[in-house]
Amino acid sequence: MIGDVTFVIIGRNEGLHLARTFQSVLKITDKVIFVDSDSTDNSVEIAKSFAIQKIIRVSSTHGTAALSRSKGAEYVTTKYIQFLDGDETISQGWLEKAIRKLDDNKKIAGVHGYKKVYKKNDKDFFILSDKKDWEPDYLQGAVLINRAIYEYAGGMETRIFGEEERDLYVRVRSMGYQIWYIHELMASHYDWKEKKI
């Protein structure tokens, strides 16, 4: 059920894309936690304008995506966490298929799908995907994951910069749980920043 999911959205200076991120998620649920990492733009104001349930500001000289995801996850009480970045939108219909995969096999800790990637504008994209459902040797930053297993594995390692998903993947697999790729559109990634003049 959708009510079993809380979104943890992270971002730093994602004001250019954040509104569309929130719009896509709020069509599905209002269980949203936004973790802002020392933004100097209007990210927090945008989150407030969407009445996001929980807004957390992380200030650190060594801030990482792992730290932000970890801080957000601490406030999740639902069965599942859907991690998402502030420059991504969630695909409608993704959660139903992803939840079904997790509910049907208790050995599966997390699932992720494929993305549309927009590098220059919001019209031209390419697909970043595998070809079929399988147990991959990687974990994406955007993933639907069982909260209890995530916590049992120790959550995100906040002391490393980069490869935090790989680190979590290895620990989850070492406990006998699986990570699955589902060949379904999970998210769109708007991978460009506002040009500074």
Side-chain angles (χ1 to χ4, degrees), residues 23-55:
Q23 287 166 356
S24 74
V25 172
L26 291 173
K27 288 177 183 176
I28 301 170
T29 182
D30 64 352
K31 292 180 179 177
V32 181
I33 296 169
F34 174 57
V35 186
D36 180 79
S37 181
D38 268 343
S39 288
T40 56
D41 67 1
N42 60 339
S43 292
V44 172
E45 287 70 23
I46 292 171
K48 288 178 179 177
S49 75
F50 280 92
I52 298 304
Q53 281 193 353
K54 181 74 175 175
I55 300 172

Side-chain angles (χ1 to χ4, degrees), residues 106-109 146-154 172 175 177:
K106 301 307 180 186
K107 295 303 289 183
I108 299 178
N146 181 296
R147 179 177 61 87
I149 299 173
Y150 167 86
E151 291 176 351
Y152 183 50
V172 167
M175 296 190 311
Y177 291 101

